[in-house]
Amino acid sequence: MDTNDSLRVASLWHSMHAISQQLSPTTGCSGIELLEADTFDLHCFQSLTGTKFFVVCEPGTQHMEALLKVVYELYTDYVLKNPFYEMEMPIRCELFDINLTQAVQKDRVALLGR
Amino acid sequence: MQFFGGSEISPSPPTPTTTTGNNAHMIYIFNRNGVCLLYREWNRPLHTLNPQQDHKLMFGLLFSLKSLAAKMDPTSADKGNLGVPQLPGQGCSFHSFRTNSYKLSFMETPSGIKFILVTNPRTSDLRETLKYIYNLYVEYVAKNPLYTPGTPIRCELFNTAVDQYVRSI
């Protein structure tokens, strides 16, 4: 998926997140947290500022919410505290990428080890 | 019927998974053109929009979500562009999504009839439930000689059957 597609998907998701709140039968809906499809699951975590984190995984994978929280922590540490990072721009912080890959690997090893 | 491997209502409905009683909030049935064939609600404290807008918004949401799922599918090699209408059964389609206040289960038949069930978020997988409701639809609506396809369903038997079944989930 190239950058244009990513942008389209992101804007589509943002609107659908909002529409799903409108269609809620009860009050207090905070948007889509999990989308289950035939071949994948998509977990979404929304921070208090509205930044959304997604994980696409195999159907039925457990503990993705924990992974998303870990990624959120890495984001606050390596991206937001980076003085050269401009808000709302694509993230190009090396440390963030390295730690992100490590976190996902650790998660994968933990899953396989079980 | 190859699609579901069972064409009678006689296979026993799926056993109740969570607490009995009011689990479901509402049900929508749409045809492939976006006409809302059925809308029933059992437990809906919050009405944000008037019914027409609500139906249109729901249909639009599902259309976009299907398109997004087809695009984001990690297993398929070639994906169409976003926004291209997907034929029923083509590409990867989602079957449910969950928020903190509700869970929406979705099923589309090869003829383009879409079944949507909105329940509380702790409900487990409702695909079998939707298949059962599809069987009810076939028996009471599709086989009804007085029913015109593409128009809203006005069949009391179907409504009561759906009500009864959904209350037992």
Side-chain angles (χ1 to χ4, degrees):
Chain A
M1 246 194 347
D2 62 355
T3 333
N4 279 339
D5 282 340
S6 312
L7 284 172
R8 277 189 219 123
V9 166
S11 60
L12 194 63
W13 181 266
H14 189 81
S15 353
M16 287 188 304
H17 202 84
I19 291 175
S20 66
Q21 286 179 298
Q22 288 239 302
L23 289 171
S24 163
T26 51
T27 49
C29 178
S30 68
I32 302 179
E33 289 175 359
L34 166 62
L35 176 80
E36 291 169 308
D38 302 332
T39 51
F40 68 95
D41 280 356
L42 178 92
H43 294 254
C44 173
F45 168 71
Q46 182 176 229
S47 72
L48 292 165
T49 55
T51 314
K52 297 176 187 51
F53 298 83
F54 304 101
V55 153
V56 174
C57 53
E58 293 267 309
T61 323
Q62 307 292 317
H63 310 306
M64 283 295 112
E65 286 88 34
L67 178 67
L68 281 170
K69 294 244 163 69
V70 166
V71 173
Y72 180 48
E73 261 187 63
L74 291 176
Y75 170 76
T76 54
D77 283 340
Y78 293 106
V79 177
L80 295 179
K81 294 180 188 171
N82 183 340
F84 299 110
Y85 172 69
E86 297 168 38
M87 285 302 301
E88 319 296 332
M89 298 305 282
I91 296 171
R92 303 212 191 288
C93 310
E94 218 180 284
L95 274 179
F96 177 66
D97 293 334
I98 295 173
N99 279 280
L100 184 62
T101 340
Q102 273 181 355
V104 170
Q105 291 291 10
K106 204 166 39 152
D107 195 68
R108 196 182 299 168
V109 164
L111 278 177
L112 291 174
R114 236 171 266 143
Chain B
M1 194 168 22
Q2 296 307 333
F3 182 53
F4 287 124
S7 51
E8 295 95 353
I9 305 182
S10 47
S12 56
T15 51
T17 46
T18 53
T19 57
T20 53
N22 262 348
N23 243 349
H25 292 290
M26 53 246 205
I27 188 172
Y28 297 78
I29 303 182
F30 291 101
N31 77 350
R32 66 190 311 162
N33 298 324
V35 174
C36 184
L37 302 178
L38 184 79
Y39 168 70
R40 289 187 77 70
E41 63 179 48
W42 301 285
N43 178 18
R44 187 173 189 180
L46 175 70
H47 289 83
T48 322
L49 308 155
N50 74 44
Q52 276 70 37
Q53 285 179 313
D54 191 62
H55 300 330
K56 281 191 209 155
L57 209 57
M58 177 59 82
F59 188 77
L61 176 71
L62 296 169
F63 178 85
S64 316
L65 275 176
K66 262 188 20 138
S67 171
L68 183 109
K71 187 77 192 180
M72 294 223 49
D73 183 10
T75 56
S76 85
D78 168 54
K79 308 152 200 186
N81 293 319
L82 273 181
V84 170
Q86 302 279 325
L87 297 172
Q90 178 195 45
C92 170
S93 169
F94 78 104
H95 58 81
S96 79
F97 75 77
R98 191 197 71 205
T99 74
N100 65 328
S101 64
Y102 68 95
K103 177 170 185 173
L104 183 141
S105 306
F106 169 74
M107 185 190 77
E108 182 170 19
T109 70
S111 54
I113 308 291
K114 302 176 179 32
F115 293 84
I116 295 106
L117 194 57
V118 177
T119 57
N120 76 51
R122 284 172 307 282
T123 333
S124 62
D125 192 11
L126 285 175
R127 275 182 278 189
E128 294 302 315
T129 312
L130 286 171
K131 281 185 194 169
Y132 187 78
I133 296 179
Y134 175 58
N135 279 332
L136 288 180
Y137 168 85
V138 165
E139 291 300 315
Y140 288 107
V141 180
K143 293 185 182 176
N144 184 346
L146 300 174
Y147 171 71
T148 328
T151 60
I153 299 170
R154 304 234 183 280
C155 173
E156 273 312 307
L157 269 180
F158 179 62
N159 291 346
T160 28
V162 166
D163 283 350
Q164 213 175 2
Y165 175 60
V166 166
R167 284 193 206 289
S168 73
I169 299 175

